[in-house]
């Protein structure tokens, strides 16, 4: 059984995108008792490992979802800060008789002249 399992892992590993070899669980999911001569301790240990790893995968999925939401929130916050810097700069430089389109184009084309990025940091 172990020879077949290791040969299967050896042949599957190059097809996987991970550098780690795939984890293979040898277990019986039947509700019937094991037959005599079956490697009971191995099968029970593999079943416990499978259930432990499933529980861990579920926990990691939740953690990854939270981390992804946090990264997205940071990006939204940074975007809002950038929009605020652009709008503040525009309102500070526009005048009653000035060309508003020209001012906005100047700010967009040359943000370094208006210290936009310094306001973000």
């Amino acid at each position: 059984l172990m020879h077949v399992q290791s040969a299967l892992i050896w042949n599957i590993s190059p097809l996987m995108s991970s550098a780690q070899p795939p984890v293979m669980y040898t277990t019986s999911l039947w509700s019937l008792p094991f037959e005599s001569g079956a490697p009971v301790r191995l099968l029970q240990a593999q079943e416990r490992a499978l259930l432990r790893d499933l529980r861990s995968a579920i926990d990691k999925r939740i953690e990854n979802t939270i981390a992804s939401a946090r990264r997205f929130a940071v990006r939204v916050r940074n975007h809002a800060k950038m929009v605020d810097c652009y709008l503040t700069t525009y309102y500070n430089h526009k005048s009653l008789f000035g060309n508003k389109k020209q001012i906005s184009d100047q700010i967009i084309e040359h943000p370094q002249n208006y210290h936009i990025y310094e306001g973000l940091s």
Side-chain angles (χ1 to χ4, degrees), residues 39-108:
V40 176
R41 286 186 20 213
L42 172 68
L43 294 173
Q44 288 174 341
Q46 289 283 304
E47 184 177 350
R48 284 191 301 272
L50 172 65
L51 294 174
R52 182 187 64 239
D53 288 349
L54 280 174
R55 194 175 309 116
S56 173
I58 291 170
D59 291 344
K60 286 180 182 176
R61 181 173 181 221
I62 292 169
E63 291 172 9
N64 289 341
T65 302
I66 291 169
S68 177
R70 182 176 291 144
R71 283 191 303 272
F72 184 72
V74 167
R75 290 177 62 193
V76 168
R77 181 192 66 201
N78 290 343
H79 183 74
K81 284 182 178 181
M82 187 164 50
V83 168
D84 183 58
C85 284
Y86 273 100
L87 286 174
T88 302
T89 303
Y90 172 75
Y91 289 131
N92 288 339
H93 286 87
K94 77 173 188 167
S95 63
L96 187 59
F97 299 110
N99 187 348
K100 295 175 186 174
K101 174 76 171 137
Q102 183 181 7
I103 292 171
S104 64
D105 288 344
Q106 280 292 330
I107 293 171
I108 291 170

Side-chain angles (χ1 to χ4, degrees), residues 5 9 12-13 16 18 20-26 46 49-50 52-53:
Q5 185 178 9
I9 289 174
I12 288 177
S13 291
M16 306 295 281
S18 174
Q20 297 289 330
V23 177
M24 185 173 287
Y25 301 97
T26 306
Q46 289 283 304
L50 172 65
R52 182 187 64 239
D53 288 349

